[in-house]
Amino acid sequence: MKILIPIDFSDNSIKALEYAIGLAGPKKYSITLVHVVEMVYDFAAQTAVAIDGMHQDARESLIKLIHKYDHTNIDFHSKTLEGTPSILLAKQAEEEDADLIIMGTHGVSGIKKVMLGSTAVEVVKESTKPVLLVPVEGNITYTSKITLALEIANHEEPFIERVIKIAEFWDLDLEILHLQNKFDFKEKLSVLGLQAFLKQKFPKLISEVITIPTVEIGKGLDAYFEDNEDAILTMCHHHQTFWQQITSKSRSLEMAYHTKVPLLIML
């Protein structure tokens, strides 16, 4: 598996790196650490010499960081780039054909803070690769499963098999979560249909659909993660519509607002 991790040497970016190493376990990984020197267009203060110094400092820090974790099964690489972080990170992931971008997040409101304009959401907007957001304030010392939250929508079908493969690679259990805020006959049929679909298409999949009745999606998610802090919450989005879903505060994004567990966004 090829992983790209943006590194700015902050606590949250280091935590994302350590989390990625923990997920790898004995598996072989290729991790590219990317540091972006973000351009600030103040030509009086930002001379060519200063920029060269920033690149040199970053390269030396990356070498030290790789040396620190060189005892793992990871095949490390590093790059320093210059420009707009979100665009460069998405482009680099595409050029390297990375399987995943893993990046740290921060803020008192967990993922909610991330979704309000940080580099992380800009990366999600630009990326064609899945993005795993790791909250610095969350307890992520142990992960045992991936929780795939489904809205039972057409766009989710292609992603289910991909999430199953990720869970298998990481040796994680898989749970399917549906937060039910409608209680009519059509909704009941949808849940039964999802269970039948999973059983037919993925007969080796042991997990059943966990349905939590709740009028408020956020409260339902809070209730689930009170007893499931060892999970990675996974949601599926079309790249083309993700920003519109952010600005309209869609149901699935509202779910992300309430969690401090890692959030895997399938694109």
Side-chain angles (χ1 to χ4, degrees), residues 16 22 26 41 52 57 74 78-79 92 102 124 126 149 151 165 189 228 233 235 244 250-251 260:
Y41 293 101
D52 287 344
D57 290 345
I74 309 298
S78 65
K79 286 185 177 294
Q92 188 67 36
I102 300 180
V124 172
E126 298 288 345
E151 299 180 90
K165 289 181 179 179
L189 287 180
N228 295 277
L233 173 62
M235 296 188 298
Q244 287 83 356
S250 71
R251 172 177 164 183
K260 291 184 179 180

Side-chain angles (χ1 to χ4, degrees), residues 34-125:
V34 180
H35 179 78
V36 179
V37 176
E38 189 169 5
M39 298 298 295
V40 178
Y41 293 101
D42 179 356
F43 295 105
Q46 192 164 301
T47 65
V49 173
I51 294 173
D52 287 344
M54 293 166 70
H55 279 281
Q56 182 62 30
D57 290 345
R59 285 192 290 267
E60 292 175 359
S61 296
L62 287 170
I63 290 172
K64 291 179 182 178
L65 194 60
I66 290 173
H67 181 72
K68 179 179 179 180
Y69 297 103
D70 201 30
H71 62 281
T72 65
N73 293 323
I74 309 298
D75 181 20
F76 281 107
H77 307 272
S78 65
K79 286 185 177 294
T80 59
L81 304 173
E82 183 179 309
T84 304
S86 58
I87 295 174
L88 291 175
L89 292 169
K91 182 180 179 182
Q92 188 67 36
E94 186 73 24
E95 289 179 353
E96 293 193 9
D97 194 24
D99 297 293
L100 185 66
I101 298 173
I102 300 180
M103 58 190 307
T105 68
H106 58 85
V108 295
S109 299
I111 300 297
K112 180 176 182 180
K113 187 78 172 180
V114 177
M115 295 301 177
L116 300 180
S118 73
T119 299
V121 72
E122 295 299 323
V123 170
V124 172
K125 287 167 58 180

Side-chain angles (χ1 to χ4, degrees), residues 173-262:
D173 295 331
L174 178 69
E175 288 190 352
I176 308 295
L177 176 65
H178 176 59
L179 298 179
Q180 182 180 357
N181 64 349
K182 296 180 181 178
F183 306 96
D184 54 16
F185 182 60
K186 182 179 179 180
E187 181 72 8
K188 292 178 182 178
L189 287 180
S190 295
V191 174
L192 290 172
L194 175 61
Q195 292 174 334
F197 168 80
L198 293 172
K199 186 175 181 180
Q200 180 182 38
K201 190 163 185 178
F202 308 105
K204 295 182 181 180
L205 184 65
I206 299 174
S207 178
E208 295 184 0
V209 178
I210 299 172
T211 301
I212 298 180
T214 177
V215 175
E216 296 185 35
I217 298 300
K219 289 184 178 180
L221 196 66
D222 286 342
Y224 173 81
F225 280 108
E226 280 183 6
D227 299 317
N228 295 277
E229 294 182 352
D230 57 339
I232 296 173
L233 173 62
T234 304
M235 296 188 298
C236 308
H237 285 284
H238 286 302
H239 175 63
Q240 294 85 352
T241 62
F242 188 71
W243 181 241
Q244 287 83 356
Q245 292 183 20
I246 289 175
T247 55
S248 64
K249 296 184 180 179
S250 71
R251 172 177 164 183
S252 58
L253 187 70
E254 181 184 349
M255 293 165 63
Y257 280 6
H258 288 262
T259 179
K260 291 184 179 180
V261 301

